[in-house]
């Protein structure tokens, strides 16, 4: 926390002393690359026609292969494979309505194969999972509406308003990319609240983002808290059936230049008024729970004067109410380097390490279940393992054989999978493939 506070303070001081003309913020080395030239190109002239009418889209394919090279709960060899197609689009309405920056935003994701190495091999199924070897595993083979929203701006584009069936990634916790294959290294930690979802699950809500200065943005909103949002029946539903309450997220984000290099910093709090049951004392219910998340992503070197090459360092933290959320806190640090080799200026090298601490209320409930069952032997099928902490790491190298194709082999290390010390440490090899159409 000291590191984040200092970084945010630096960002605030920078914004106060910034000149009238702010340097252009370039997030390429932070992991936010511009979309590559697509495989299908102009699609026989169809794409330019759509663009001329204000319709812009990205169509992509992603697959993630993971194989248990050693260790884990089940040592039997298994190569788990999942993939997905995603369509993300915007329709410009300003040209037709005159409303500043008015647009319709949409996202549709099709996931396939429902094959998780984490569930099948890496961790003990008698405890809840706390990480995934394939971050895009969604528990189902299904096509979903990720979001469909209306957005516009006010006050000379300082204020952006969004409303509709939305996902939190449209507005919140946007400073760290999802480039690693391991879930705990994918983006920030706001999803660890377990009260809203990443990427391809929608709920109703409305959000505001106000640019206080060229560096600082204040974000807030109100969103539906629906525990059934990820169910198959809700994939295309616009109903609020299953809603238990509302979420109130507030976040401040800074995008300064430090030593002339771009960075991104955030601090957010998520309030939830939906009823939550104590993990240990089942008779206790809470109507006010919270989640805190924070992070930083800073470019620290620039190679050969090229702003698109160099090293960045990131750190993120998520802290939950341990009474009702089985993951108490997660913190992750990572390094990215773009263009390490002169012959491969667009390649990436990434290294990340994550620490996960499980809730003591959850562990006490597991111990209580053992007491009720009268078992003390971990090898007994009725035994409920006592989760503690995990340390997971991943190393990857990503390259582009051609502009529209990315191949990313990686190596993962799992210490205490699922937080269970009796489970053998595991090694996982992976291959992430991305195609832009």
């Amino acid at each position: 926390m000291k590191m984040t506070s200092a970084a945010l303070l630096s960002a605030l001081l920078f914004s106060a002393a910034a000149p009238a003309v702010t340097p252009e913020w370039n997030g390429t080395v932070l992991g936010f690359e511009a979309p590559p030239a697509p495989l299908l190109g102009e699609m026989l002239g169809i794409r330019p026609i759509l663009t001329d009418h204000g319709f812009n889209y990205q169509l992509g394919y992603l697959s993630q292969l993971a194989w248990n090279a050693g260790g884990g709960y089940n040592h039997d060899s298994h190569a788990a494979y999942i993939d997905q197609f995603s369509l993300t689009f915007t329709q410009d309405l300003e040209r037709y309505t005159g409303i500043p920056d008015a647009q319709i935003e949409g996202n549709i994701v099709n996931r396939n194969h429902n094959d998780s190495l984490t569930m099948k091999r890496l961790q003990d199924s008698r405890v809840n999972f706390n990480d995934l070897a394939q971050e895009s595993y969604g528990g189902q083979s299904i096509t979903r509406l990720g979001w469909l929203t209306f957005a516009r701006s006010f006050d000379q584009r300082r204020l952006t308003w969004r409303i509709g069936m939305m996902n939190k990634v449209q507005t919140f916790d946007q400073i760290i990319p999802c480039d690693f294959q391991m879930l705990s290294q994918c983006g920030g930690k706001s999803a660890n609240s377990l009260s809203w979802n990443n990427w391809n699950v929608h709920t109703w809500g409305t959000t505001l983002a106000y640019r206080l200065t060229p560096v600082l943005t204040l974000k807030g909103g109100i969103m539906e808290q629906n525990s059934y949002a990820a169910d198959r029946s809700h994939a295309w539903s616009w109903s609020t059936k299953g809603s238990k309450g509302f979420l109130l997220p507030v976040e401040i984000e800074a995008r300064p230049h430090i030593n002339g290099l771009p960075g991104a910093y955030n601090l957010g709090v998520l309030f939830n008024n939906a009823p939550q049951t104590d993990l240990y004392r089942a008779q206790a219910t809470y109507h006010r729970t919270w989640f805190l998340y924070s992070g930083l992503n800073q470019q620290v070197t620039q190679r050969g004067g090229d702003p698109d090459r160099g090293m960045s360092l990131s750190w993120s933290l998520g802290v939950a109410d341990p009474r009702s959320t089985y993951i108490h806190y997660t913190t992750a640090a990572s390094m990215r380097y773009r263009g390490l080799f002169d012959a491969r200026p667009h390649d990436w090298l990434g290294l990340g390490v994550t620490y996960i601490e499980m809730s003591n209320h959850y562990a006490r409930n597991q111990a209580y279940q053992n007491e009720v069952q009268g078992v003390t032997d971990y090898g007994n099928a009725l035994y409920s393992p006592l989760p503690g902490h995990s340390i997971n790491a991943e190393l990857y190298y990503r390259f582009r054989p051609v502009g529209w194709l990315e191949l990313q082999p990686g190596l993962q290390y799992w210490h205490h999978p699922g937080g269970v010390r009796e489970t053998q440490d595991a090694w996982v090899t992976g291959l992430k493939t991305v195609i832009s159409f």
Side-chain angles (χ1 to χ4, degrees):
M1 288 297 291
K2 291 182 180 179
M3 186 177 183
T4 302
S5 301
L8 284 172
L9 179 60
S10 297
L12 290 169
L13 292 174
F14 179 90
S15 65
V21 178
T22 303
E24 181 181 358
W25 192 88
N26 178 359
T28 300
V29 175
L30 303 182
F32 299 103
E33 291 185 291
L39 170 62
L40 301 180
E42 296 186 353
M43 295 179 59
L44 300 176
I46 296 176
R47 188 187 291 265
I49 293 174
L50 294 174
T51 301
D52 289 342
H53 287 81
F55 185 84
N56 294 281
Y57 70 93
Q58 295 180 35
L59 178 61
Y61 169 83
L62 175 146
S63 69
Q64 293 177 342
L65 176 68
W67 174 67
N68 52 326
Y73 181 71
N74 185 335
H75 296 183
D76 292 342
S77 179
H78 180 65
Y81 178 84
I82 61 170
D83 64 15
Q84 71 178 27
F85 292 88
S86 62
L87 172 65
T88 302
F89 63 88
T90 60
Q91 173 60 58
D92 179 16
L93 300 179
E94 181 177 1
R95 64 178 65 194
Y96 303 114
T97 64
I99 301 174
D101 298 318
Q103 62 181 2
I104 299 294
E105 308 160 317
N107 170 264
I108 299 170
V109 179
N110 165 256
R111 284 185 170 171
N112 300 286
H113 303 300
N114 195 24
D115 189 13
S116 171
L117 186 71
T118 304
M119 309 295 190
K120 293 183 176 181
R121 294 294 186 269
L122 299 183
Q123 75 156 64
D124 193 325
S125 61
R126 295 172 293 181
V127 295
N128 295 332
F129 77 91
N130 62 10
D131 206 348
L132 289 172
Q134 304 142 282
E135 53 82 17
S136 283
Y137 169 78
Q140 299 173 348
S141 292
I142 191 172
T143 301
R144 291 182 174 279
L145 176 68
W147 61 79
L148 185 62
T149 53
F150 169 80
R152 62 156 299 178
S153 66
F154 299 89
D155 191 18
Q156 298 180 327
R157 293 182 164 82
R158 293 187 184 92
L159 176 65
T160 299
W161 173 53
R162 180 175 283 114
I163 188 170
M165 295 181 288
M166 62 177 46
N167 187 280
K168 59 104 176 169
V169 302
Q170 293 178 267
T171 303
F172 300 100
D173 206 10
Q174 299 176 320
I175 68 166
I176 298 175
C178 183
D179 50 350
F180 287 83
Q181 185 168 303
M182 183 176 282
L183 177 63
S184 63
Q185 286 290 331
C186 172
K189 296 296 169 284
S190 58
N192 283 18
S193 67
L194 306 182
S195 56
W196 57 3
N197 299 87
N198 270 337
W199 185 238
N200 67 330
V201 176
H202 67 271
T203 55
W204 283 98
T206 184
T207 63
L208 295 169
Y210 189 77
R211 185 163 45 86
L212 301 170
T213 73
V215 171
L216 286 176
T217 300
L218 180 63
K219 305 176 182 183
I222 179 169
M223 300 175 67
E224 170 194 7
Q225 204 292 313
N226 192 326
S227 57
Y228 298 104
D231 287 0
R232 181 173 290 273
S233 61
H234 198 271
W236 290 89
S237 174
W238 55 290
S239 170
T240 58
K241 183 179 180 180
S243 295
K244 302 296 183 182
F246 58 81
L247 304 171
L248 292 177
V250 177
E251 178 185 326
I252 187 164
E253 177 187 279
R255 296 199 172 195
H257 287 80
I258 297 178
N259 296 324
L261 299 174
Y265 302 76
N266 71 355
L267 175 64
V269 176
L270 177 66
F271 171 80
N272 182 2
N273 82 331
Q276 305 288 321
T277 302
D278 193 296
L279 294 170
Y280 176 59
R281 297 180 300 152
Q283 71 278 10
T285 302
Y286 310 102
H287 289 269
R288 296 179 180 85
T289 57
W290 53 268
F291 185 84
L292 180 144
Y293 63 94
S294 183
L296 63 89
N297 189 2
Q298 178 65 49
Q299 183 174 344
V300 294
T301 70
Q302 187 177 104
R303 188 175 180 88
D306 186 344
D308 293 338
R309 296 177 65 188
M311 179 190 292
S312 63
L313 299 177
S314 70
W315 171 85
S316 58
L317 171 72
V319 182
D321 188 334
R323 300 174 303 174
S324 55
T325 306
Y326 69 86
I327 300 176
H328 183 194
Y329 69 87
T330 304
T331 185
S334 58
M335 177 280 297
R336 296 169 179 83
Y337 202 114
R338 188 177 192 270
L340 179 62
F341 305 110
D342 292 338
R344 308 288 308 173
H346 304 296
D347 287 5
W348 286 87
L349 176 69
L351 174 64
V353 180
T354 306
Y355 181 91
I356 305 169
E357 184 73 30
M358 305 296 280
S359 161
N360 59 352
H361 281 239
Y362 177 48
R364 289 170 67 188
N365 180 66
Q366 294 283 94
Y368 175 72
Q369 297 300 323
N370 291 333
E371 184 179 331
V372 171
Q373 295 287 346
V375 295
T376 58
D377 179 16
Y378 174 79
N380 190 315
L382 297 177
Y383 184 81
S384 297
L386 308 182
H389 72 274
S390 298
I391 301 175
N392 299 337
E394 181 178 355
L395 172 69
Y396 77 75
Y397 188 86
R398 182 166 80 242
F399 63 98
R400 289 180 176 171
V402 290
W404 45 266
L405 172 65
E406 293 181 348
L407 298 175
Q408 181 175 304
L411 178 64
Q412 301 175 10
Y413 174 69
W414 292 60
H415 177 62
H416 294 172
V420 179
R421 65 183 180 181
E422 290 88 352
T423 302
Q424 184 178 345
D425 292 359
W427 291 93
V428 175
T429 59
L431 177 63
K432 178 179 176 179
T433 302
V434 177
I435 300 175
S436 299
F437 294 102

